[in-house]
Amino acid sequence: MEWGMKNRISKIIRPEDGRCVMLAVDHGYFLGPTEKLENPGRTIKPLLPYADSLMLTRGVLRTSINPSTDVPIVLRVSGGSSIIGEDLSNESITTSIEDAMKLNASCVALSIFVGSKYEHQTLTSLAKLVDEAERFGMPVLAVTAVGKEMTRDHRYLALACRIAAELGAHIIKTYYCDNFQNVVEGCPVPVIIAGGKKLPNEIDALQLAYDAVDHGATGVDMGRNIWQSDHPVAMIKAIRAIIHKNLNVEEAHEIFIKEKELEHQKVLKPT
Ligand code: 5RP
């Protein structure tokens, strides 16, 4: 592997511990102004110091993120469908590798829809993106998107992750599931997990992150369970503690409670 590729991957997966906390804020690319991400800049700013990397589209990057930031960028380069459109899986490459380079991205991300009507299109887009990105030493994150009609079990997710790795993806984002170790074992590149829809209780999201790394995930690419929380900074700090400090769920929850109290005190006594 070339130096540039290795260097970029080391910005996404921290070399100190081989783990990763990616903050996902790309939801608007098919969901529009998602709840609590209506003003992306405002949502993202307080979370940036605690994110190892930030996953977003070029539109939000250009308009809402200060270019002096040193947070590594994972640029979503696929899209072309919407939540109200005919078929969510009908995605193509939407951003060129040249633009990703101009934006100083550390990684590019694309969704694949294995088992969907547009399976072939999204898989060949992944292969094409890998060919183009590798010319520039740019890693590719494949997102195993799951249509409504598909079960998120280990057989399906292992199939999707393995196909993405075989086509050359350098990192895969998927969902946590029962027997998750089978997904990781069958995938020769690092696997990270999405958080999915906001869970009713923060402890469930902490448990999800804990179970994922405990079963072999390299980390998380989490969005809604962080920024839709009433205490997003407390939440990302607690998630970080699980991923990078190997804290258990109870210990991480204590961090969450402590941070929440600190926030409360700041509101009562602004500096
Ligand atoms: C959407 C995505 C999101 O980035 C991903 O789902 C992670 O966010 P969340 O934790 O909110 O699920 O890739 O296709």
Side-chain angles (χ1 to χ4, degrees):
M1 202 186 274
E2 283 167 16
W3 194 93
M5 173 71 77
K6 279 190 190 159
N7 178 259
R8 286 194 176 91
I9 290 177
S10 76
K11 296 192 185 310
I12 307 298
I13 299 172
R14 305 302 307 170
E16 306 86 72
D17 58 5
R19 293 266 177 91
C20 124
V21 176
M22 189 182 290
L23 179 65
V25 289
D26 60 323
H27 302 59
Y29 93 95
F30 73 100
L31 287 173
T34 319
E35 189 191 345
K36 300 229 179 148
L37 201 56
E38 295 89 348
N39 180 328
R42 203 158 51 207
T43 303
I44 298 165
K45 197 174 173 205
L47 300 171
L48 269 191
Y50 311 104
D52 293 334
S53 62
L54 187 63
M55 182 194 186
L56 75 182
T57 58
R58 66 178 167 191
V60 170
L61 180 63
R62 284 174 183 161
T63 56
S64 313
I65 306 296
N66 188 329
S68 69
T69 186
D70 53 9
V71 71
I73 298 301
V74 179
L75 193 69
R76 172 171 280 283
V77 300
S78 75
S81 58
S82 84
I83 191 71
I84 58 167
E86 187 216 342
D87 192 325
L88 265 184
S89 68
N90 193 1
E91 281 197 6
S92 313
I93 296 172
T94 51
T95 303
S96 69
I97 202 70
E98 284 78 8
D99 214 23
M101 294 300 293
K102 277 201 279 181
L103 292 164
N104 199 27
S106 296
C107 186
V108 288
L110 170 144
S111 290
I112 57 166
F113 294 79
V114 172
S116 76
K117 185 171 163 196
Y118 293 96
E119 172 186 273
H120 176 76
Q121 175 180 310
T122 59
L123 290 178
T124 50
S125 287
L126 171 61
K128 187 167 166 246
L129 183 66
V130 170
D131 280 342
E132 287 179 3
E134 284 194 343
R135 285 172 37 225
F136 295 89
M138 175 78 78
V140 174
L141 169 76
V143 178
T144 68
V146 178
K148 275 184 202 137
E149 63 288 353
M150 284 163 215
T151 29
R152 295 181 186 191
D153 65 15
H154 69 101
R155 284 183 203 85
Y156 171 76
L157 294 172
L159 172 80
C161 289
R162 179 58 174 265
I163 290 172
E166 299 262 356
L167 292 176
H170 304 90
I171 308 172
I172 320 271
K173 172 166 85 163
T174 193
Y175 290 94
Y176 183 71
C177 60
D178 286 345
N179 299 310
F180 187 71
Q181 65 280 5
N182 295 350
V183 178
V184 175
E185 265 169 38
C187 184
V189 299
V191 177
I192 60 178
I193 62 138
K197 278 194 181 146
K198 165 92 171 55
L199 296 163
N201 194 319
E202 68 273 352
I203 214 154
D204 298 329
L206 298 177
Q207 187 73 52
L208 176 71
Y210 180 86
D211 288 343
V213 288
D214 193 43
H215 289 85
T218 292
V220 295
D221 180 16
M222 199 173 257
R224 289 163 289 182
N225 277 290
I226 293 175
W227 41 261
Q228 285 182 343
S229 163
D230 290 337
H231 305 281
V233 171
M235 197 59 195
I236 197 169
K237 283 187 171 179
I239 293 284
R240 266 197 93 74
I242 290 174
I243 307 297
H244 286 305
K245 294 190 180 148
N246 288 317
L247 260 56
N248 64 33
V249 175
E250 290 70 32
E251 291 165 332
H253 195 238
E254 277 169 30
I255 290 188
F256 176 81
I257 301 288
K258 223 178 269 170
E259 290 295 330
K260 207 170 106 170
E261 277 162 15
L262 282 175
E263 265 175 43
H264 184 63
Q265 282 163 20
K266 274 188 203 155
V267 174
L268 294 179
K269 273 194 203 170
T271 45

